[in-house]
Amino acid sequence: MDIFLLIRAVAALAITLGLVGLAGVALRKFGPDALSRITALRKDRRMQVIETLVLDPTRRLVLFTLDGEERLLMLGEGQLLDWAPGKPRKGPAPKPASKSSSETVV
């Protein structure tokens, strides 16, 4: 009776490992690339994310195109930085930091 339980356990292990291996092969074949292939079929989109860059846990830069124009967007901390090439900056230019009285030049 014990030999049948052992054979049953080995068969169950072989089936489980086979299913895990099959899932791994399926993920390699149809994984992340399959999603990009599906979205690539839709060419009439107006907006496309080109690149994202995580600055810190609360802020992220996103470079995207909108109607053929590249835009840079900063997300996080309740602030928004929106930049486009050739777009004039709003507000005064930042002032250079002044030297404090404790700094002396020798």
Side-chain angles (χ1 to χ4, degrees), residues 1-3 5 9-10 35 49-51 60 89-91 94 98-99:
M1 188 98 177
D2 289 332
I3 192 79
L5 289 176
V10 169
L35 184 61
V49 175
I50 297 172
E51 188 176 349
R60 159 185 318 243
R89 291 184 156 199
K90 295 179 181 176
S98 61
K99 293 183 180 181

Side-chain angles (χ1 to χ4, degrees), residues 10-90:
V10 169
L13 180 63
I15 290 172
T16 303
L17 290 177
L19 289 174
V20 169
L22 185 63
V25 170
L27 279 176
R28 284 186 182 175
K29 186 171 184 179
F30 303 111
D33 294 337
L35 184 61
S36 66
R37 278 184 258 143
I38 290 171
T39 57
L41 295 175
R42 299 183 195 171
K43 301 261 183 192
D44 59 344
R45 297 221 176 232
R46 293 178 52 205
M47 186 171 69
Q48 179 183 7
V49 175
I50 297 172
E51 188 176 349
T52 61
L53 176 67
V54 177
L55 300 174
D56 57 39
T58 59
R59 293 182 301 164
R60 159 185 318 243
L61 283 174
V62 180
L63 180 64
F64 65 97
T65 60
L66 178 62
D67 293 334
E69 181 181 336
E70 284 191 349
R71 308 289 296 254
L72 182 64
L73 187 69
M74 180 185 280
L75 303 173
E77 294 183 352
Q79 299 174 355
L80 177 68
L81 166 74
D82 188 9
W83 175 83
K87 181 179 175 182
R89 291 184 156 199
K90 295 179 181 176

